[in-house]
Amino acid sequence: MKKGKFIVMEGGDGSGKSTHTRLLVEGLCKKGYAVFSTCEPSHSEIGKLIRRYLSGELDAPEATIASLFLADRILHIEGKGGIKEHLEKGVNVVCDRYYLSSMAYNCMSESIDWVFNLNLRARDLLKPDLVIYLKADEEETDKRLGKRESMEIYETKEFQRKVLNRYQEAMDRLGDNNVKVVSTVASREEVAKGILKIAEDLIAEESG
């Protein structure tokens, strides 16, 4: 049995990432592909704890949150019902956020070198076949964030501008050829169609 493909969706808050993750999963399913949709933080107990920190309910040093993200990610990859298990069964996995998010978000007070090296562990365990990075218009993302009723600790405009710079720095450091930058300036339908084409081409390479 051929392994499934591991596809990751990345981007700053307000980039449309969660929406396009959902649309990609729906599009692949309609095409007849077996797909498992997941996200990070995961729905494990560690992931639930992380969400409490992100909501501001709990407080901790950034190094603690970064370490929890790595622990959650390793469990997400290798645990029962995790990403690797689905891939081995020939199921394609689409994940909303992965280690690039940690490299972008968890290094504001911690050294980027420390966070970068910490997350290379996950990269060594399972590198995505494809990372789709959504490059959104800043004015549009500001509008989307402003409409949210509840904000996580990372969702301020100032923080998000730093995040986008960190994303670029992380991608430059990694130098991976699996990253596709997709502009979201076009309509949602056009962007979704383009993302689906990229994902389909990847899956078809293997099956062809």
Side-chain angles (χ1 to χ4, degrees), residues 1 14 29 65 72 99 104 113 177 181 208:
M1 180 182 293
C29 288
I65 299 175
D72 182 50
Y99 55 73
D113 294 320
N177 59 5
V181 178

Side-chain angles (χ1 to χ4, degrees), residues 27-69:
L28 289 173
C29 288
K30 286 178 182 177
K31 295 283 187 177
Y33 296 108
V35 184
F36 172 66
S37 179
T38 189
C39 63
E40 292 195 350
S42 75
H43 297 293
S44 72
E45 291 304 313
I46 302 173
K48 291 175 184 176
L49 179 60
I50 292 171
R51 292 176 195 281
R52 294 179 69 191
Y53 283 114
L54 296 181
S55 69
E57 178 186 348
L58 300 176
D59 187 33
E62 193 171 60
T64 301
I65 299 175
S67 300
L68 283 172
F69 264 106

Side-chain angles (χ1 to χ4, degrees), residues 6-203:
F6 182 30
I7 301 170
V8 171
M9 195 77 71
E10 290 281 5
D13 289 290
S15 64
K17 178 185 51 56
S18 296
T19 296
H20 283 294
T21 298
R22 174 179 57 80
L23 292 174
L24 175 58
V25 171
E26 290 175 358
L28 289 173
C29 288
K30 286 178 182 177
K31 295 283 187 177
Y33 296 108
V35 184
F36 172 66
S37 179
T38 189
C39 63
E40 292 195 350
S42 75
H43 297 293
S44 72
E45 291 304 313
I46 302 173
K48 291 175 184 176
L49 179 60
I50 292 171
R51 292 176 195 281
R52 294 179 69 191
Y53 283 114
L54 296 181
S55 69
E57 178 186 348
L58 300 176
D59 187 33
E62 193 171 60
T64 301
I65 299 175
S67 300
L68 283 172
F69 264 106
L70 178 61
D72 182 50
R73 187 163 295 127
I74 292 172
L75 182 60
H76 195 197
I77 294 168
E78 299 195 313
K80 184 174 175 58
I83 297 170
K84 275 190 175 180
E85 186 176 311
H86 283 87
L87 294 174
E88 292 294 338
K89 292 177 180 177
V91 177
N92 301 291
V93 176
V94 178
C95 187
D96 184 342
R97 298 203 181 282
Y98 196 48
Y99 55 73
L100 268 177
S101 282
S102 287
M103 293 174 179
Y105 282 80
N106 297 147
C107 54
M108 297 306 169
S109 62
E110 290 297 324
S111 160
I112 189 170
D113 294 320
W114 182 81
V115 175
F116 185 88
N117 291 327
L118 180 74
N119 284 282
L120 288 180
R121 168 65 174 157
R123 183 170 177 259
D124 291 340
L125 284 174
L126 184 61
K127 183 180 175 181
D129 296 291
L130 171 66
V131 176
I132 295 171
Y133 175 73
L134 296 181
K135 188 173 183 180
D137 177 74
E138 279 191 18
E139 186 175 333
E140 184 60 31
T141 59
D142 287 347
K143 287 179 183 177
R144 289 173 183 167
L145 290 176
K147 291 178 181 178
R148 295 187 179 180
E149 293 182 7
S150 60
M151 303 277 280
E152 290 187 345
I153 59 173
Y154 294 146
E155 291 182 340
T156 66
K157 293 179 183 179
E158 182 181 354
F159 190 93
Q160 283 300 308
R161 281 169 175 70
K162 293 177 181 177
V163 162
L164 298 182
N165 291 333
R166 292 299 198 186
Y167 258 122
Q168 190 60 56
E169 185 173 351
M171 289 188 286
D172 289 344
R173 282 192 178 211
L174 289 172
D176 289 341
N177 59 5
N178 62 345
V179 179
K180 300 290 185 184
V181 178
V182 175
S183 170
T184 62
V185 172
S187 69
R188 187 176 73 173
E189 292 73 20
E190 288 177 291
V191 174
K193 185 178 179 180
I195 292 171
L196 179 59
K197 176 69 165 56
I198 294 169
E200 269 201 286
D201 286 348
L202 171 74
I203 298 170

